[in-house]
């Protein structure tokens, strides 16, 4: 009788473990699918830009402390748009000069490094690669709810196309633009393309 009880108890533990592992695997897949959906959503928005905007994805550049994989760089006659995408979910609080930004999601509270500083590192690395040109920094939160004073270049996904289209104060010659494109395309990572 004791053996039957232990066998049944062991079977319940085993079944519970299987259910638990299945739930974890489903959660991981769902998170990965959301990241892919956000990436595709950004590509869809950038593909709606006029023909004088060229999108280069997965650009690998060397920075002061390693390599950066820049997901999206837009080259236009109006400058080079350097886009940093943050997959953060929740309400984001902070300011453009703050070292960290606070993220509240339900009862959870966390901090992320200031993404404007991350984007600045990307711009610095690109400047070493292609030289001094007009750079326009953009930080996009596809799913975050922005609640701070971040500056005009920290935006939600639905603002991306208009933000790019409205930034036209600079002018690059076609030769310079084509040279930048050629350099960036040589630096593209073949993974993800």
């Amino acid at each position: 009788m004791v053996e039957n009880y232990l066998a049944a108890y062991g079977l319940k533990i085993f079944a519970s473990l299987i259910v638990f592992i299945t739930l974890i695997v489903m959660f991981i897949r769902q998170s990965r699918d959301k990241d892919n959906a956000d990436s595709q959503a950004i590509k869809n928005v950038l593909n709606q830009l006029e023909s004088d905007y060229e999108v280069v994805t997965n650009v690998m550049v060397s920075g002061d402390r390693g390599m950066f994989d820049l997901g999206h760089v837009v080259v236009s006659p109006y400058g080079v748009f350097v886009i940093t995408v943050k997959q953060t979910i929740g309400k984001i609080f902070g300011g453009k000069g703050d070292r960290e930004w606070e993220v509240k999601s339900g009862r959870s509270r966390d901090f992320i490094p200031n993404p404007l500083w991350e984007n600045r590192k990307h711009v610095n690395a690109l400047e070493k690669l292609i030289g001094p040109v007009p750079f326009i920094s953009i930080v996009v939160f596809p799913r975050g709810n922005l609640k701070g004073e971040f500056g005009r270049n920290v935006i939600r996904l639905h603002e991306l196309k208009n933000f790019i289209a409205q930034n036209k104060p600079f002018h690059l010659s076609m030769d310079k633009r084509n040279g930048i494109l050629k350099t960036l395309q040589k630096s593209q990572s073949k993974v993800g393309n």
Side-chain angles (χ1 to χ4, degrees):
M1 177 130 165
V2 173
E3 291 175 351
N4 289 342
Y5 175 76
L6 288 175
Y9 184 70
L11 188 58
K12 286 181 183 179
I13 290 174
F14 180 73
S16 297
L17 187 60
I18 294 295
V19 169
F20 181 71
I21 291 171
T22 303
L23 289 173
I24 288 174
V25 168
M26 287 173 51
F27 177 76
I28 291 170
R29 283 185 182 158
Q30 188 177 30
S31 295
R32 207 177 300 144
D33 289 345
K34 282 183 182 176
D35 287 348
N36 289 339
D38 286 345
S39 179
Q40 188 58 49
I42 289 168
K43 287 179 185 176
N44 291 344
V45 169
L46 294 176
N47 286 337
Q48 294 174 22
L49 294 170
E50 295 175 13
S51 62
D52 52 346
Y53 296 91
E54 291 285 335
V55 179
V56 185
T57 58
N58 300 318
V59 177
M60 296 296 294
V61 291
S62 177
D64 288 339
R65 295 185 179 168
M67 297 294 289
F68 296 115
D69 182 359
L70 309 183
H72 308 281
V73 178
V74 178
V75 181
S76 77
Y78 316 109
V80 177
F81 297 85
V82 183
I83 303 169
T84 298
V85 179
K86 301 309 286 182
Q87 304 295 348
T88 308
I89 299 172
K91 294 179 182 176
I92 297 119
F93 300 89
K96 59 183 172 184
D98 295 345
R99 181 181 158 120
E100 294 180 324
W101 293 356
E102 182 179 6
V103 179
K104 290 182 181 177
S105 182
R107 294 183 180 180
S108 171
R109 181 177 169 219
D110 201 3
F111 292 89
I112 60 171
N114 184 333
L116 288 168
W117 296 358
E118 175 185 356
N119 189 276
R120 184 69 232 172
K121 291 176 189 174
H122 296 170
V123 168
N124 291 344
L126 271 177
E127 190 168 33
K128 287 181 183 176
L129 180 68
I130 61 177
V133 296
F135 288 101
I136 300 97
S137 170
I138 306 173
V139 176
V140 179
F141 283 89
R143 296 182 282 158
N145 190 354
L146 302 172
K147 298 287 187 181
E149 294 296 324
F150 305 108
R152 66 181 212 85
N153 58 333
V154 178
I155 59 175
R156 297 289 316 272
L157 179 60
H158 68 275
E159 300 169 301
L160 181 58
K161 181 181 174 189
N162 285 340
F163 182 88
I164 291 173
Q166 292 174 358
N167 276 281
K168 296 188 176 184
F170 306 110
H171 292 284
L172 296 174
S173 70
M174 285 304 282
D175 288 341
K176 182 69 174 174
R177 180 177 168 262
N178 291 340
I180 291 169
L181 279 170
K182 199 178 261 188
T183 301
L184 293 179
Q185 289 165 344
K186 286 180 189 175
S187 298
Q188 276 184 297
S189 165
K190 300 305 175 205
V191 177
N193 281 336

